[in-house]
Amino acid sequence: MTVMDVENRYGAVSRAVHWIMAVLLLLMLASEVWFEALEDSLSEASLMAWHQSLGLALFGLVLFRGLWRWLNRSRLTPPEYWATMARLGHVALYALMILMPLSGLVTSLGEGDPVTFFGWTLFGSGPEMEWLEESGEDVHEVLANVLWLMIGVHVAAALAHQYLLGDRIMKRMA
């Protein structure tokens, strides 16, 4: 097993980061459900601290994955006929994964709440700015819905490649 990507397979780092990000993304997008499930045992502030921490960890992984992809840019090339669609889909996913935590940050700052990363305060409490909170919340919610859609498209494309086109593309990330 190689660390770097090769012509027909992603390397260990790309695969590990991809699947860790997939799990974190699903946890983040499902956080409304687990917030409700845990609201009796944990405070809203604790739940939000976990949400922020996981979101910031995901943001860091997105930045790392972008750098790692750049380092591996000449190693793995999709089939030419799908290259443009794959590139646009990945750009959209990366853009959403960058904009989601930024809109969450805007929401938290607008609420005047601190922003923490696993117990470390990154931004302290501040004044509440209702217009900033509402704008950030609205954008965060729309982006979450679009991200759900893009994840569905991403999974559908992988399944279509695997089972309709028969190019075994899912083996590259397994």
Side-chain angles (χ1 to χ4, degrees):
M1 180 181 306
T2 64
V3 172
M4 302 295 278
D5 298 347
V6 293
E7 181 65 29
N8 61 350
R9 189 163 172 85
Y10 288 98
V13 173
S14 293
R15 288 194 321 271
V17 172
H18 175 270
W19 291 111
I20 291 168
M21 286 175 58
V23 168
L24 284 177
L25 265 174
L26 292 176
L27 277 173
M28 292 301 293
L29 289 170
S31 65
E32 194 169 321
V33 173
W34 58 269
F35 269 28
E36 288 178 22
L38 296 173
E39 69 185 350
D40 293 335
S41 56
L42 295 172
S43 69
E44 185 176 338
S46 295
L47 292 170
M48 186 52 67
W50 272 102
H51 183 79
Q52 288 174 351
S53 296
L54 292 176
L56 289 168
L58 185 57
F59 184 67
L61 283 171
V62 169
L63 297 178
F64 173 78
R65 183 138 186 241
L67 174 64
W68 189 254
R69 188 176 172 106
W70 179 78
L71 291 171
N72 283 285
R73 68 187 174 278
S74 63
R75 297 196 186 346
L76 195 64
T77 54
E80 189 57 41
Y81 54 92
W82 285 103
T84 302
M85 292 303 288
R87 196 170 296 116
L88 289 174
H90 284 108
V91 165
L93 280 169
Y94 277 95
L96 287 164
M97 290 186 293
I98 289 169
L99 293 173
M100 280 293 296
L102 294 177
S103 64
L105 176 64
V106 165
T107 302
S108 290
L109 294 175
E111 289 172 341
D113 292 339
V115 175
T116 62
F117 181 68
F118 296 109
W120 296 340
T121 301
L122 302 178
F123 296 96
S125 299
E128 184 176 346
M129 295 176 273
E130 193 173 320
W131 65 271
L132 189 61
E133 174 190 354
E134 288 176 6
S135 300
E137 251 178 30
D138 291 345
V139 169
H140 202 62
E141 187 175 327
V142 168
L143 291 174
N145 290 330
V146 174
L147 188 53
W148 272 118
L149 176 68
M150 286 304 301
I151 289 170
V153 169
H154 182 71
V155 169
L159 291 172
H161 270 277
Q162 183 73 20
Y163 298 110
L164 296 178
L165 299 175
D167 61 13
R168 299 172 45 108
I169 199 164
M170 287 174 59
K171 184 175 169 67
R172 289 166 50 174
M173 192 52 81

PDB file of all heavy atoms in Angstrom, residues 127-146:
ATOM      1  N   PRO A 127     -20.294  41.006  21.539  1.00  0.00           N
ATOM      2  CA  PRO A 127     -21.647  41.548  21.483  1.00  0.00           C
ATOM      3  C   PRO A 127     -22.504  40.763  20.481  1.00  0.00           C
ATOM      4  O   PRO A 127     -22.008  40.250  19.489  1.00  0.00           O
ATOM      5  CB  PRO A 127     -21.437  42.989  21.000  1.00  0.00           C
ATOM      6  CG  PRO A 127     -20.161  42.937  20.238  1.00  0.00           C
ATOM      7  CD  PRO A 127     -19.314  41.898  20.918  1.00  0.00           C
ATOM      8  N   GLU A 128     -23.778  40.665  20.803  1.00  0.00           N
ATOM      9  CA  GLU A 128     -24.697  39.991  19.892  1.00  0.00           C
ATOM     10  C   GLU A 128     -25.044  40.931  18.746  1.00  0.00           C
ATOM     11  O   GLU A 128     -25.321  42.106  18.956  1.00  0.00           O
ATOM     12  CB  GLU A 128     -25.967  39.569  20.624  1.00  0.00           C
ATOM     13  CG  GLU A 128     -26.903  38.774  19.740  1.00  0.00           C
ATOM     14  CD  GLU A 128     -28.128  38.270  20.482  1.00  0.00           C
ATOM     15  OE1 GLU A 128     -28.136  38.296  21.722  1.00  0.00           O
ATOM     16  OE2 GLU A 128     -29.073  37.862  19.801  1.00  0.00           O
ATOM     17  N   MET A 129     -24.973  40.409  17.532  1.00  0.00           N
ATOM     18  CA  MET A 129     -25.353  41.172  16.338  1.00  0.00           C
ATOM     19  C   MET A 129     -26.392  40.332  15.597  1.00  0.00           C
ATOM     20  O   MET A 129     -26.048  39.415  14.846  1.00  0.00           O
ATOM     21  CB  MET A 129     -24.130  41.424  15.452  1.00  0.00           C
ATOM     22  CG  MET A 129     -23.091  42.315  16.104  1.00  0.00           C
ATOM     23  SD  MET A 129     -21.622  42.498  15.088  1.00  0.00           S
ATOM     24  CE  MET A 129     -20.677  41.080  15.631  1.00  0.00           C
ATOM     25  N   GLU A 130     -27.652  40.648  15.854  1.00  0.00           N
ATOM     26  CA  GLU A 130     -28.746  39.827  15.350  1.00  0.00           C
ATOM     27  C   GLU A 130     -28.727  39.687  13.831  1.00  0.00           C
ATOM     28  O   GLU A 130     -28.955  38.602  13.303  1.00  0.00           O
ATOM     29  CB  GLU A 130     -30.083  40.425  15.815  1.00  0.00           C
ATOM     30  CG  GLU A 130     -31.237  39.483  15.616  1.00  0.00           C
ATOM     31  CD  GLU A 130     -32.515  40.015  16.241  1.00  0.00           C
ATOM     32  OE1 GLU A 130     -32.454  40.590  17.338  1.00  0.00           O
ATOM     33  OE2 GLU A 130     -33.566  39.831  15.609  1.00  0.00           O
ATOM     34  N   TRP A 131     -28.433  40.750  13.116  1.00  0.00           N
ATOM     35  CA  TRP A 131     -28.417  40.685  11.649  1.00  0.00           C
ATOM     36  C   TRP A 131     -27.346  39.710  11.154  1.00  0.00           C
ATOM     37  O   TRP A 131     -27.552  38.977  10.185  1.00  0.00           O
ATOM     38  CB  TRP A 131     -28.192  42.072  11.045  1.00  0.00           C
ATOM     39  CG  TRP A 131     -26.836  42.654  11.362  1.00  0.00           C
ATOM     40  CD1 TRP A 131     -26.495  43.417  12.452  1.00  0.00           C
ATOM     41  CD2 TRP A 131     -25.634  42.482  10.613  1.00  0.00           C
ATOM     42  NE1 TRP A 131     -25.168  43.730  12.419  1.00  0.00           N
ATOM     43  CE2 TRP A 131     -24.601  43.182  11.293  1.00  0.00           C
ATOM     44  CE3 TRP A 131     -25.309  41.821   9.434  1.00  0.00           C
ATOM     45  CZ2 TRP A 131     -23.291  43.225  10.832  1.00  0.00           C
ATOM     46  CZ3 TRP A 131     -24.007  41.868   8.974  1.00  0.00           C
ATOM     47  CH2 TRP A 131     -23.009  42.565   9.668  1.00  0.00           C
ATOM     48  N   LEU A 132     -26.192  39.676  11.834  1.00  0.00           N
ATOM     49  CA  LEU A 132     -25.108  38.784  11.442  1.00  0.00           C
ATOM     50  C   LEU A 132     -25.469  37.338  11.777  1.00  0.00           C
ATOM     51  O   LEU A 132     -25.237  36.432  10.963  1.00  0.00           O
ATOM     52  CB  LEU A 132     -23.813  39.195  12.155  1.00  0.00           C
ATOM     53  CG  LEU A 132     -22.535  38.503  11.714  1.00  0.00           C
ATOM     54  CD1 LEU A 132     -22.246  38.775  10.243  1.00  0.00           C
ATOM     55  CD2 LEU A 132     -21.360  38.980  12.565  1.00  0.00           C
ATOM     56  N   GLU A 133     -26.058  37.147  12.944  1.00  0.00           N
ATOM     57  CA  GLU A 133     -26.487  35.805  13.353  1.00  0.00           C
ATOM     58  C   GLU A 133     -27.520  35.251  12.373  1.00  0.00           C
ATOM     59  O   GLU A 133     -27.394  34.114  11.897  1.00  0.00           O
ATOM     60  CB  GLU A 133     -27.080  35.853  14.759  1.00  0.00           C
ATOM     61  CG  GLU A 133     -27.670  34.533  15.204  1.00  0.00           C
ATOM     62  CD  GLU A 133     -28.471  34.646  16.497  1.00  0.00           C
ATOM     63  OE1 GLU A 133     -28.488  35.724  17.117  1.00  0.00           O
ATOM     64  OE2 GLU A 133     -29.068  33.634  16.876  1.00  0.00           O
ATOM     65  N   GLU A 134     -28.539  36.039  12.060  1.00  0.00           N
ATOM     66  CA  GLU A 134     -29.603  35.568  11.169  1.00  0.00           C
ATOM     67  C   GLU A 134     -29.077  35.301   9.758  1.00  0.00           C
ATOM     68  O   GLU A 134     -29.435  34.297   9.140  1.00  0.00           O
ATOM     69  CB  GLU A 134     -30.757  36.574  11.141  1.00  0.00           C
ATOM     70  CG  GLU A 134     -31.546  36.582  12.437  1.00  0.00           C
ATOM     71  CD  GLU A 134     -32.634  37.631  12.461  1.00  0.00           C
ATOM     72  OE1 GLU A 134     -32.861  38.300  11.419  1.00  0.00           O
ATOM     73  OE2 GLU A 134     -33.267  37.792  13.519  1.00  0.00           O
ATOM     74  N   SER A 135     -28.227  36.186   9.267  1.00  0.00           N
ATOM     75  CA  SER A 135     -27.657  35.982   7.928  1.00  0.00           C
ATOM     76  C   SER A 135     -26.801  34.722   7.897  1.00  0.00           C
ATOM     77  O   SER A 135     -26.907  33.908   6.967  1.00  0.00           O
ATOM     78  CB  SER A 135     -26.799  37.184   7.520  1.00  0.00           C
ATOM     79  OG  SER A 135     -27.563  38.356   7.491  1.00  0.00           O
ATOM     80  N   GLY A 136     -25.952  34.576   8.902  1.00  0.00           N
ATOM     81  CA  GLY A 136     -25.096  33.398   8.970  1.00  0.00           C
ATOM     82  C   GLY A 136     -25.895  32.116   9.076  1.00  0.00           C
ATOM     83  O   GLY A 136     -25.591  31.122   8.414  1.00  0.00           O
ATOM     84  N   GLU A 137     -26.953  32.125   9.908  1.00  0.00           N
ATOM     85  CA  GLU A 137     -27.815  30.955  10.071  1.00  0.00           C
ATOM     86  C   GLU A 137     -28.498  30.586   8.767  1.00  0.00           C
ATOM     87  O   GLU A 137     -28.568  29.405   8.405  1.00  0.00           O
ATOM     88  CB  GLU A 137     -28.886  31.238  11.134  1.00  0.00           C
ATOM     89  CG  GLU A 137     -28.696  30.489  12.402  1.00  0.00           C
ATOM     90  CD  GLU A 137     -29.777  30.855  13.419  1.00  0.00           C
ATOM     91  OE1 GLU A 137     -30.921  31.199  13.043  1.00  0.00           O
ATOM     92  OE2 GLU A 137     -29.463  30.807  14.614  1.00  0.00           O
ATOM     93  N   ASP A 138     -29.024  31.587   8.077  1.00  0.00           N
ATOM     94  CA  ASP A 138     -29.708  31.331   6.803  1.00  0.00           C
ATOM     95  C   ASP A 138     -28.753  30.724   5.786  1.00  0.00           C
ATOM     96  O   ASP A 138     -29.082  29.741   5.120  1.00  0.00           O
ATOM     97  CB  ASP A 138     -30.313  32.625   6.239  1.00  0.00           C
ATOM     98  CG  ASP A 138     -31.482  33.134   7.063  1.00  0.00           C
ATOM     99  OD1 ASP A 138     -32.023  32.371   7.890  1.00  0.00           O
ATOM    100  OD2 ASP A 138     -31.848  34.321   6.884  1.00  0.00           O
ATOM    101  N   VAL A 139     -27.571  31.296   5.662  1.00  0.00           N
ATOM    102  CA  VAL A 139     -26.579  30.794   4.713  1.00  0.00           C
ATOM    103  C   VAL A 139     -26.144  29.382   5.114  1.00  0.00           C
ATOM    104  O   VAL A 139     -26.037  28.489   4.265  1.00  0.00           O
ATOM    105  CB  VAL A 139     -25.366  31.752   4.618  1.00  0.00           C
ATOM    106  CG1 VAL A 139     -24.219  31.130   3.848  1.00  0.00           C
ATOM    107  CG2 VAL A 139     -25.792  33.069   3.979  1.00  0.00           C
ATOM    108  N   HIS A 140     -25.907  29.167   6.415  1.00  0.00           N
ATOM    109  CA  HIS A 140     -25.467  27.862   6.924  1.00  0.00           C
ATOM    110  C   HIS A 140     -26.504  26.775   6.585  1.00  0.00           C
ATOM    111  O   HIS A 140     -26.149  25.679   6.149  1.00  0.00           O
ATOM    112  CB  HIS A 140     -25.259  27.961   8.435  1.00  0.00           C
ATOM    113  CG  HIS A 140     -24.356  26.936   9.028  1.00  0.00           C
ATOM    114  ND1 HIS A 140     -23.033  26.813   8.691  1.00  0.00           N
ATOM    115  CD2 HIS A 140     -24.601  25.972   9.960  1.00  0.00           C
ATOM    116  CE1 HIS A 140     -22.487  25.818   9.388  1.00  0.00           C
ATOM    117  NE2 HIS A 140     -23.416  25.284  10.161  1.00  0.00           N
ATOM    118  N   GLU A 141     -27.775  27.111   6.756  1.00  0.00           N
ATOM    119  CA  GLU A 141     -28.843  26.148   6.484  1.00  0.00           C
ATOM    120  C   GLU A 141     -28.952  25.837   4.987  1.00  0.00           C
ATOM    121  O   GLU A 141     -29.080  24.669   4.605  1.00  0.00           O
ATOM    122  CB  GLU A 141     -30.176  26.686   7.009  1.00  0.00           C
ATOM    123  CG  GLU A 141     -31.295  25.678   6.910  1.00  0.00           C
ATOM    124  CD  GLU A 141     -32.585  26.178   7.542  1.00  0.00           C
ATOM    125  OE1 GLU A 141     -32.528  26.927   8.530  1.00  0.00           O
ATOM    126  OE2 GLU A 141     -33.648  25.796   7.036  1.00  0.00           O
ATOM    127  N   VAL A 142     -28.880  26.857   4.155  1.00  0.00           N
ATOM    128  CA  VAL A 142     -28.946  26.632   2.703  1.00  0.00           C
ATOM    129  C   VAL A 142     -27.753  25.800   2.244  1.00  0.00           C
ATOM    130  O   VAL A 142     -27.899  24.846   1.465  1.00  0.00           O
ATOM    131  CB  VAL A 142     -29.009  27.981   1.937  1.00  0.00           C
ATOM    132  CG1 VAL A 142     -28.777  27.783   0.451  1.00  0.00           C
ATOM    133  CG2 VAL A 142     -30.346  28.665   2.185  1.00  0.00           C
ATOM    134  N   LEU A 143     -26.561  26.149   2.737  1.00  0.00           N
ATOM    135  CA  LEU A 143     -25.367  25.396   2.357  1.00  0.00           C
ATOM    136  C   LEU A 143     -25.459  23.933   2.806  1.00  0.00           C
ATOM    137  O   LEU A 143     -25.029  23.033   2.080  1.00  0.00           O
ATOM    138  CB  LEU A 143     -24.109  26.048   2.936  1.00  0.00           C
ATOM    139  CG  LEU A 143     -23.709  27.391   2.340  1.00  0.00           C
ATOM    140  CD1 LEU A 143     -22.531  27.983   3.115  1.00  0.00           C
ATOM    141  CD2 LEU A 143     -23.389  27.273   0.867  1.00  0.00           C
ATOM    142  N   ALA A 144     -26.029  23.700   3.988  1.00  0.00           N
ATOM    143  CA  ALA A 144     -26.189  22.320   4.467  1.00  0.00           C
ATOM    144  C   ALA A 144     -27.091  21.532   3.522  1.00  0.00           C
ATOM    145  O   ALA A 144     -26.782  20.381   3.179  1.00  0.00           O
ATOM    146  CB  ALA A 144     -26.752  22.312   5.886  1.00  0.00           C
ATOM    147  N   ASN A 145     -28.175  22.132   3.080  1.00  0.00           N
ATOM    148  CA  ASN A 145     -29.080  21.455   2.145  1.00  0.00           C
ATOM    149  C   ASN A 145     -28.400  21.184   0.803  1.00  0.00           C
ATOM    150  O   ASN A 145     -28.553  20.103   0.230  1.00  0.00           O
ATOM    151  CB  ASN A 145     -30.352  22.271   1.949  1.00  0.00           C
ATOM    152  CG  ASN A 145     -31.222  22.279   3.194  1.00  0.00           C
ATOM    153  OD1 ASN A 145     -31.225  21.326   3.972  1.00  0.00           O
ATOM    154  ND2 ASN A 145     -31.942  23.366   3.407  1.00  0.00           N
ATOM    155  N   VAL A 146     -27.646  22.144   0.312  1.00  0.00           N
ATOM    156  CA  VAL A 146     -26.927  21.951  -0.946  1.00  0.00           C
ATOM    157  C   VAL A 146     -25.847  20.881  -0.780  1.00  0.00           C
ATOM    158  O   VAL A 146     -25.633  20.059  -1.669  1.00  0.00           O
ATOM    159  CB  VAL A 146     -26.312  23.289  -1.449  1.00  0.00           C
ATOM    160  CG1 VAL A 146     -25.441  23.073  -2.678  1.00  0.00           C
ATOM    161  CG2 VAL A 146     -27.415  24.296  -1.755  1.00  0.00           C
TER     162      VAL A 146
END
